[in-house]
Amino acid sequence: MKMKQALLTLTATAGLLAALPAAAQFQKPEDAVKYRKAAFTVMATHFSRIGAMAQGRASFDGAAAAANAEIVADLAKLPFAGFVEGTSGTEKGSPKANVWSERAKFDAGAKKMQDEVAKLAVAAKANNLDQLKAAFGSAAQTCKACHDDFRNP
Ligand code: ASC
């Protein structure tokens, strides 16, 4: 019974955290910017290790690919909470204002990316280079789509 109560509390807390407005999770807008950049940096580091295998720049290691893909799939859940109002920019790599004026489209792109990297994590477990290449390509396409539409070049 204690265990069940603890689980219920944990679930409720996690639900509450997800339901908080994104801005309320950070003390200052700069903290949100730092957070999302950090999440993307770690994600890109592990994604590009898979890319190196998919593109033949590194030899194929199924276990490493699966471990990297698992990290990417987990990290992909994090950065979007950091896109709080008032943090668009004009410098290279910063988000354009349309992230907020077209938020539904941005969120749909984020969801698509999360779905594709989740599929990549499944595909990577097959220990098959062709499957890895295909799933990597689909996932990379979702990164690029969002960069093309919402990121300053
Ligand atoms: C990467 C990485 C991205 C995507 C993107 C795909 O390895 O860091 O942002 O792939 O370049 O087009």
Side-chain angles (χ1 to χ4, degrees):
M1 198 55 201
K2 272 223 171 96
M3 183 68 174
K4 196 173 171 192
Q5 260 167 11
L7 270 175
L8 281 174
T9 308
L10 191 66
T11 310
T13 307
L16 189 67
L17 194 64
L20 276 177
Q25 300 184 27
F26 300 97
Q27 293 210 322
K28 313 189 287 292
E30 308 87 84
D31 292 345
V33 173
K34 228 198 251 182
Y35 175 88
R36 75 188 181 216
K37 282 185 175 177
F40 278 130
T41 298
V42 178
M43 208 171 114
T45 299
H46 292 275
F47 189 64
S48 58
R49 287 178 190 166
I50 302 169
M53 293 183 214
Q55 292 158 4
R57 286 178 282 111
S59 52
F60 176 58
D61 175 339
N68 281 306
E70 197 75 45
I71 294 168
V72 172
D74 284 340
L75 264 292
K77 296 166 189 162
L78 303 183
F80 300 100
F83 284 84
V84 303
E85 287 281 354
T87 59
S88 66
T90 50
E91 67 276 26
K92 183 180 186 299
S94 63
K96 295 195 252 183
N98 67 338
V99 166
W100 292 273
S101 63
E102 298 181 83
R103 188 72 201 213
K105 183 181 172 190
F106 179 75
D107 289 343
K111 170 79 167 59
K112 176 101 179 100
M113 181 278 286
Q114 291 164 335
D115 290 348
E116 291 302 324
V117 298
K119 286 189 211 167
L120 173 61
V122 173
K125 290 197 176 83
N127 195 28
N128 174 292
L129 182 56
D130 287 332
Q131 259 176 266
L132 186 74
K133 280 182 184 172
F136 176 82
S138 302
Q141 202 46 52
T142 66
C143 304
K144 184 178 187 306
C146 207
H147 294 163
D148 288 350
D149 288 341
F150 295 107
R151 187 175 72 161
N152 284 298

